[in-house]
């Protein structure tokens, strides 16, 4: 009944056992809780788990290059692999200005500044920050994506994703990027950062599958500030293919309200099932590579239809697999009616993250079926 969901997919030489992917997600959990969460999701039958926000830098929290950081990522990969699931590393470079962060910390600690207010402040600092970065430093950052990919592979990751939001997306965006050198001005120059990052990965790891998180921003009304406009996809997509990308994970650009990129069911524009799949339709015009769609996906029949029609090649879920990690196993074993559906209330997931309690679900504690 769910043949399209069950069908394996070859992605740059790596075989995904089905078409369901756990989207890269910041959890805010203790390490023990995080490991258990990943184990449950992997055991639930999805084909691939993306570990989100793996920094490409050689210093700082979560680095692949520190002894502790490398051991942590290797342990996470082993947990995921033990349940018959693939593991992917989402490589990213933050575009947050450390000076702006430092200024916000006292206000956050005393609760004079809310998380939303801090986010707005940091977003406002992105443009000046990336515009002022010396070109030589920019080149070192793009090259570091290759070093990080090689290190990720040594840690056991099966594939990597270049995070097209964060610094990649900010350089691509005319909202943020006001440079006048080779990394700014024309569209091709603004896209140079993303292309160089992918090229660096491909040079270091010629046969490692590369996914690209492609983020689209919209105008009138504006949703997202980083990333590219729909009319800029005709330039970006071929450039990324030439650089060595194997697939695209398509979604809405960030740097705006979190409820836009993680929309609740009552969102005025993105409340419907598959709310961001129209962005996949835009990308489809310019590529034959696999495209992964995301956005409130939970209904097995709807997901099957999107995959069977060829609209998307993979379906990424986050909140749904937190609400019920066994979604893939239940659907593919004839128990779709037993799926515990995410209701997109954002109360314990996004709400938990904003309250520094970690990502949870209102349904947690229910029995596994």
């Amino acid at each position: 009944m769910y043949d399209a969901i069950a069908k394996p997919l070859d992605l740059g030489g790596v075989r995904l056992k089905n078409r369901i992917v756990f989207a890269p997600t910041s959890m805010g959990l203790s390490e023990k809780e995080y490991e258990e969460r990943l184990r449950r999701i992997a055991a639930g039958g999805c084909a691939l788990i993306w570990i989100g926000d793996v920094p490409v830098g050689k210093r700082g929290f979560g680095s692949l290059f520190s002894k502790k950081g490398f051991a942590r990522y290797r342990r996470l990969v082993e947990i995921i692999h033990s349940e018959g699931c693939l593991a992917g590393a989402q490589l990213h470079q933050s575009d947050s200005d450390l000076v702006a962060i430092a200024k916000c910390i006292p206000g956050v600690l005393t609760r004079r500044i809310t998380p939303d207010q801090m986010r707005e402040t940091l977003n406002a600092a992105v443009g000046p920050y990336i515009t002022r970065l010396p070109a030589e430093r920019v080149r070192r950052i793009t090259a570091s994506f290759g070093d990080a990919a090689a290190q990720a592979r040594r840690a056991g990751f099966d594939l990597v994703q270049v995070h097209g939001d964060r610094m990649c997306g900010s350089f691509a965006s005319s909202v943020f990027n006001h440079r006048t050198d080779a990394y700014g001005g024309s569209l091709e120059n603004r896209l140079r950062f993303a292309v160089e990052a992918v090229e660096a990965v491909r040079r270091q790891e010629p046969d490692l599958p590369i996914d690209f998180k492609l983020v689209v921003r919209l105008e009138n009304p504006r949703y997202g500030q980083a990333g590219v406009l729909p009319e800029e996809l005709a330039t970006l997509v071929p450039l990324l293919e030439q650089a060595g990308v194997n697939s695209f994970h398509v979604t809405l650009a960030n740097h705006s309200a979190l409820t836009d990129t993680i929309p609740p069911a009552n969102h005025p524009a993105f409340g419907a099932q598959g709310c961001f799949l129209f962005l996949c339709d835009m990308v489809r015009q310019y590529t034959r590579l696999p495209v992964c769609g995301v956005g409130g996906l939970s209904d097995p029949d709807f997901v099957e239809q999107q995959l069977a029609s060829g609209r998307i090649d993979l379906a990424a879920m986050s909140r749904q697999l937190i609400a019920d990690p066994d979604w893939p196993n239940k659907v593919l074993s004839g128990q779709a009616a037993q799926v515990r559906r995410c209701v997109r209330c954002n109360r314990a997931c996004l709400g938990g993250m904003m309250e520094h309690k970690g990502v949870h679900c209102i349904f947690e504690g229910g029995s596994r079926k």
Side-chain angles (χ1 to χ4, degrees), residues 37 68 87 112 156 204 227 268-269 290 343 360:
R37 174 69 56 78
K68 184 177 180 180
R112 288 184 292 105
Q204 288 266 29
V343 296
H360 297 282

Side-chain angles (χ1 to χ4, degrees), residues 223-247:
Y223 286 107
Q225 299 183 71
V228 296
L229 293 168
E231 57 266 28
E232 295 172 332
L233 290 169
T235 301
L236 174 61
V237 173
L239 284 175
L240 291 174
E241 282 199 21
Q242 294 166 19
V245 162
N246 297 104
S247 59

Side-chain angles (χ1 to χ4, degrees), residues 72-183:
R72 174 180 181 265
Y73 287 117
R74 174 170 279 179
R75 185 169 63 253
L76 296 180
V77 169
E78 289 172 351
I79 289 170
I80 294 168
H81 282 170
S82 72
E83 299 293 349
C85 184
L86 297 179
Q90 184 194 55
L91 305 179
H92 94 289
Q93 170 62 43
S94 173
D95 56 7
S96 294
D97 185 348
L98 293 178
V99 174
I101 292 174
K103 289 180 178 179
C104 288
I105 289 175
V108 172
L109 293 176
T110 59
R111 299 185 181 275
R112 288 184 292 105
I113 298 177
T114 68
D116 280 337
Q117 290 172 328
M118 180 176 179
R119 183 179 176 81
E120 290 173 7
T121 298
L122 296 182
N123 285 342
V126 168
Y129 175 61
I130 67 158
T131 299
R132 291 194 304 264
L133 277 175
E136 180 54 37
R137 185 177 175 192
V138 175
R139 286 189 287 271
R140 288 199 302 270
I141 292 172
T142 59
S144 68
F145 277 81
D147 296 333
Q151 192 74 345
R153 191 167 208 175
R154 283 191 282 271
F157 283 103
D158 303 288
L159 62 171
V160 297
Q161 180 185 86
V162 173
H163 199 324
D165 218 321
R166 308 294 183 177
M167 192 170 277
C168 278
S170 295
F171 266 86
S173 171
S174 59
V175 174
F176 288 139
N177 187 343
H178 303 293
R179 302 175 69 99
T180 57
D181 62 359
Y183 292 97

Side-chain angles (χ1 to χ4, degrees), residues 187-325:
L187 174 60
E188 288 78 5
N189 280 356
R190 286 187 279 113
L191 299 178
R192 191 181 304 277
F193 185 102
V195 172
E196 286 187 1
V198 174
E199 289 175 339
V201 175
R202 186 51 71 222
R203 279 195 305 271
Q204 288 266 29
E205 294 292 338
D207 61 347
L208 180 66
I210 306 173
D211 184 68
F212 188 88
K213 183 178 178 179
L214 198 163
V215 295
V216 184
R217 65 184 181 89
L218 304 174
E219 295 283 4
N220 303 316
R222 174 176 287 181
Y223 286 107
Q225 299 183 71
V228 296
L229 293 168
E231 57 266 28
E232 295 172 332
L233 290 169
T235 301
L236 174 61
V237 173
L239 284 175
L240 291 174
E241 282 199 21
Q242 294 166 19
V245 162
N246 297 104
S247 59
F248 295 99
H249 176 110
V250 183
T251 189
L252 183 71
N254 208 325
H255 295 79
S256 57
L258 280 174
T259 49
D260 291 338
T261 50
I262 311 174
N266 62 357
H267 192 284
F270 308 122
Q273 178 100 188
C275 58
F276 297 140
L277 297 190
F278 73 101
L279 302 173
C280 296
D281 299 336
M282 296 177 186
V283 173
R284 274 287 192 208
Q285 300 176 65
Y286 309 110
T287 186
R288 293 184 178 180
L289 293 178
V291 172
C292 181
V294 67
L297 298 174
S298 61
D299 176 32
D301 293 336
F302 179 84
V303 173
E304 175 72 11
Q305 181 182 26
Q306 308 313 304
L307 290 167
S309 69
R311 188 181 190 186
I312 56 176
D313 300 287
L314 291 163
M317 304 173 181
S318 177
R319 288 174 293 178
Q320 175 55 58
L321 292 184
I322 292 170
D324 190 346

